Amino acid sequence: MVDNIILNAIIPLQFAYAHFHSHIKDKEHLLNSMMQMKPELNDVILSYKRLGINIHSAFDTQALLQLKKCYCEKVLCMHCAIGNHILKGA
């Protein structure tokens, strides 16, 4: 639960602050921190795992959640590398 709060509340706020103030090193540190955190485990991430996608960190899970939001939910499969891969295999 603590990791979820850090990942979904604290890091985004710190990242936004660093971005607003052009603190590139702070942004890199936050991204590296996410790469060191354990991956989240939820239904969306389990679906990606079933597709054979390797997930190593919280950075990966956040990226996949963003892909779902920007591509899957908008049915833009043809504009997504993962969607293209799945459709070609079907």
Side-chain angles (χ1 to χ4, degrees):
M1 175 129 171
V2 172
D3 283 347
N4 280 340
I5 293 169
I6 292 169
L7 185 61
N8 294 303
I10 295 171
I11 289 178
L13 285 173
Q14 288 179 331
F15 193 88
Y17 180 86
H19 182 74
F20 182 76
H21 292 286
S22 300
H23 295 161
I24 295 169
K25 295 248 183 226
D26 291 341
K27 289 170 34 176
E28 290 174 356
H29 173 72
L30 290 165
L31 294 175
N32 286 331
S33 295
M34 288 175 60
M35 289 180 196
Q36 302 302 316
M37 293 175 70
K38 290 188 258 179
E40 293 178 86
L41 192 57
N42 56 45
D43 291 340
V44 173
I45 300 306
L46 288 174
S47 295
Y48 280 114
K49 280 185 150 197
R50 282 192 289 274
L51 292 171
I53 296 173
N54 293 323
I55 302 166
H56 303 287
S57 68
F59 182 87
D60 296 339
T61 59
Q62 289 297 298
L64 291 170
L65 292 169
Q66 185 67 18
L67 281 175
K68 180 183 180 296
K69 178 181 174 185
C70 292
Y71 291 94
C72 301
E73 291 176 4
K74 296 178 181 179
V75 193
L76 295 172
C77 307
M78 298 304 290
H79 300 281
C80 172
I82 296 171
N84 269 302
H85 179 74
I86 293 168
L87 292 172
K88 286 180 184 177

